[in-house]
Amino acid sequence: APIPTYVLGANDQETMSYFPGASGCELAENITYLGRRGIYSGASGLHIVYLSGTEAQNEPAPAYSFSMKDVAELKASVLSTSNFKGVDILLTSPWPRDVGAFANSAGEIDTKKCGSKLVSDLAASLKPRYHFAALEKAYYERLPYRNHTVLQETPQHVSRFIALADVGNTSKKKYLYAFSIVPMSLMDPAELVKQPQDVTENPYWKLQKEVKKNRTPTSAEEEPACQFFFDLNKHQGKKRPSNEKARGNSQPKQAKKLTQPTGHCWFCLASPEVEKHLVVSIGTHCYLALAKGGLLPDHVLILPIGHYQSMVDLSSEVVEEVSKYKSALKEFFRSKGKRYVLFERNYRSQHLQLQVIPVPLDHCTSEDIKESFIAQAQEQQIELLEIPEHSDISQVAQPGTPYFYVELDTGEKLFHRIRGRFPLQFGREVLASEALLALPHRADWRQCATERAEETAQASAFRRDFQPFDFALR
């Protein structure tokens, strides 16, 4: 595609094969499948929420459909944002049920019978400035509607629903909508809440009341988020305490509120998707795990136990433990004649992953590593800047900002603010290059598959060697 293009996923069984992976992927150059559901934050601050598929009619929901639980989890993730006012854009395949209430006619489409009640509930809760859908294959631009009750609530911005026809349809119905939008976060509040003359009542309030009255709580609403603690050394015969009081600290620090993943997360330690045979150390707030398809057998990840998207989202106690793991890994790798390179890609990722890769000390200097990153960045027109060693990542990036970050064990740091497309394997490609590890065939982790038995053996060996340096065991 000539420009970056983002698409939703399958709406039926026949098209499932074109969309591998529920969390999204790059289908072709400049064409990105966003995934089953989630939030896409642009570099400008634009917030786009998306939900792929059709509303499930039965349980369990097929892979091309969404359920009440999916919508509840997506809403919980978005609404947990502090000072939530709404989102800029909502993308769904189905129309919302009853979208035509109080408004101009939708032509041959009966909005009281078509569409999804769950999408109506989602739109009512998220208050998108623009909501796009296309499953009915008809063009319909609804009059803008209010998100507040007149004279009873403070005025809020209006929402606009726009349905598009199928591409290249013979009836020449409109299937393309071009527009300019300033992110809500950058707008003057008075300008944002201006009400156009043709604004209508909210079409979803009646349905939303019905949904709240009739629904049963989902498991996502019934159970609070929890952390699981695993004892990797069973012979010690004890579990780590899961609260500060048990550790003798009667005044625990106030932690930031954890966001909830918008889908299955491969890295939340409480998630069943975590490949626990790769876990090599567990602290109070973080854990270490060998990388799946690592560049080297001792390529390791530092991960928060709870769900955090990036370093800039971490609470102070988690940051403190990340630093402890960095120090322990530096000491560990130096004992083996190596130095580590750490990088983070906060782009098209849900859960913070700090990739830590060792490089032999006698193979290259820290200056060689830094120059390799900068040189390859320049080749790909990526602006990779050096930032002060003692600066904190939160000083150069705000929560929600996509970025790429490199840190050497000398303290030297490189930073790139992602403003458009970014190569997902960039960090691995630089380290795998002939100038550094000379492993170009291992640049893509998907080409480095290893049998589970071998992964288990590698994790066991790493755990044994790292034990003298593992502060979590003391």
Side-chain angles (χ1 to χ4, degrees):
I3 59 173
T5 305
Y6 301 90
V7 301
L8 297 185
N11 290 312
D12 53 49
Q13 186 61 49
E14 288 69 29
T15 50
M16 278 296 297
S17 59
Y18 298 112
F19 299 93
S23 59
C25 61
E26 194 168 55
L27 300 177
E29 185 174 356
N30 262 353
I31 301 180
T32 302
Y33 164 43
L34 288 170
R36 290 286 306 282
R37 65 178 188 268
I39 309 166
Y40 179 85
S41 299
S44 65
L46 195 73
H47 282 87
I48 301 171
V49 175
Y50 55 91
L51 179 67
S52 290
T54 57
E55 181 177 331
Q57 301 304 311
N58 300 294
E59 291 288 350
Y64 55 84
S65 294
F66 56 84
S67 65
M68 184 183 292
K69 181 180 178 182
D70 291 318
V71 172
E73 289 178 348
L74 182 54
K75 282 169 55 178
S77 178
V78 179
L79 297 175
S80 65
T81 308
S82 59
N83 300 318
F84 173 81
K85 295 178 180 178
V87 299
D88 292 301
I89 296 172
L90 172 63
L91 302 176
T92 64
S93 292
W95 287 26
R97 178 70 62 86
D98 225 14
V99 67
F102 311 119
N104 49 317
S105 171
E108 70 272 19
I109 305 298
D110 185 348
T111 61
K112 292 183 179 180
K113 295 180 180 178
C114 83
S116 163
K117 289 185 179 181
L118 289 178
V119 170
S120 298
D121 182 44
L122 183 67
S125 300
L126 301 193
K127 305 172 185 176
R129 293 167 65 200
Y130 287 86
H131 179 182
F132 292 94
L135 199 60
E136 299 301 326
K137 301 182 179 180
Y139 172 70
Y140 173 52
E141 185 165 0
R142 189 203 187 280
L143 292 173
Y145 62 84
R146 297 187 187 94
N147 284 298
H148 66 277
T149 304
V150 178
L151 301 180
Q152 294 182 31
E153 296 177 308
T154 305
Q156 299 183 44
H157 62 275
V158 301
S159 293
R160 291 174 167 82
F161 173 75
I162 298 161
L164 298 173
D166 47 331
V167 176
N169 65 88
T170 55
S171 303
K172 296 186 178 179
K173 296 176 183 176
K174 189 172 180 179
Y175 62 83
L176 184 68
Y177 189 92
F179 68 112
S180 177
I181 182 171
V182 175
M184 184 186 298
S185 59
L186 301 180
M187 288 187 68
D188 176 75
E191 188 69 27
L192 178 64
V193 301
K194 277 186 177 179
Q195 305 291 299
Q197 289 185 349
D198 56 353
V199 67
T200 77
E201 292 299 321
N202 192 303
Y204 311 129
W205 281 340
K206 184 178 178 182
L207 276 177
Q208 194 178 35
K209 287 177 182 177
E210 290 177 5
V211 169
K212 287 181 178 178
K213 184 178 179 181
N214 297 329
R215 75 178 179 181
T216 54
T218 65
S219 58
E221 296 169 317
E222 290 170 343
E223 298 178 13
C226 58
Q227 294 182 1
F228 292 172
F229 294 82
F230 299 93
D231 188 352
L232 296 174
N233 295 276
K234 294 181 180 178
H235 61 271
Q236 293 182 349
K238 62 179 181 179
K239 291 184 178 180
R240 290 191 187 84
S242 59
N243 58 66
E244 293 290 342
K245 190 174 181 180
R247 295 185 187 91
N249 186 347
S250 60
Q251 293 182 320
K253 297 178 182 177
Q254 292 298 313
K256 286 186 181 179
K257 184 179 180 180
L258 290 180
T259 58
Q260 295 303 308
T262 56
H264 297 297
C265 182
W266 293 95
F267 301 104
C268 285
L269 194 54
S271 169
E273 276 76 21
V274 170
E275 300 208 39
K276 296 181 175 66
H277 67 288
L278 294 174
V279 175
V280 293
S281 172
I282 300 178
T284 306
H285 305 288
C286 303
Y287 72 100
L288 294 186
L290 291 191
K292 188 80 172 173
L295 264 173
L296 299 163
D298 46 3
H299 175 173
V300 69
L301 308 178
I302 305 176
L303 304 132
I305 289 172
H307 190 75
Y308 294 93
Q309 183 173 323
S310 69
M311 276 293 291
V312 298
D313 293 309
L314 298 182
S315 56
S316 57
E317 60 267 33
V318 185
V319 171
E320 184 180 340
E321 192 161 279
V322 167
S323 297
K324 284 185 178 181
Y325 268 122
K326 285 183 194 174
S327 298
L329 287 169
K330 178 179 177 178
E331 192 179 350
F332 169 62
F333 285 129
R334 289 288 174 134
S335 73
K336 293 182 172 293
K338 302 174 182 178
R339 59 164 52 86
Y340 76 64
V341 182
L342 176 151
F343 68 83
E344 177 197 0
R345 170 176 53 80
N346 181 31
Y347 171 73
R348 288 178 55 194
S349 59
Q350 254 203 108
H351 191 111
L352 167 63
Q353 305 160 52
L354 295 177
Q355 310 266 345
V356 184
I357 296 96
V359 179
L361 284 167
D362 58 2
H363 193 70
C364 52
T365 65
S366 60
E367 196 63 31
D368 294 331
I369 297 169
K370 192 165 64 173
E371 287 178 1
S372 291
F373 269 98
I374 292 172
Q376 290 204 38
Q378 288 174 343
E379 285 180 16
Q380 300 190 46
Q381 298 182 320
I382 295 169
E383 186 181 31
L384 196 59
L385 304 174
E386 188 162 5
I387 59 176
E389 290 181 25
H390 299 291
S391 64
D392 186 87
I393 184 71
S394 61
Q395 293 175 277
V396 293
Q398 296 297 315
T401 301
Y403 63 82
F404 178 78
Y405 171 74
V406 182
E407 182 180 318
L408 307 184
D409 67 359
T410 56
E412 297 164 280
K413 301 171 182 177
L414 301 171
F415 177 84
H416 168 65
R417 189 184 305 279
I418 299 174
R419 302 186 186 278
R421 187 168 171 271
F422 186 80
L424 300 184
Q425 305 294 340
F426 178 71
R428 287 182 64 122
E429 287 170 357
V430 175
L431 288 163
S433 66
E434 294 294 343
L436 297 179
L437 293 174
L439 298 168
H441 59 288
R442 299 188 68 84
D444 189 334
W445 72 272
R446 291 167 294 189
Q447 307 302 319
C448 305
T450 306
E451 293 293 332
R452 186 183 179 93
E454 186 176 346
E455 290 178 338
T456 302
Q458 289 174 349
S460 179
F462 187 100
R463 197 179 299 126
R464 181 188 62 246
D465 293 348
F466 183 62
Q467 189 169 343
F469 306 88
D470 191 352
F471 64 90
L473 297 178
R474 295 166 195 163

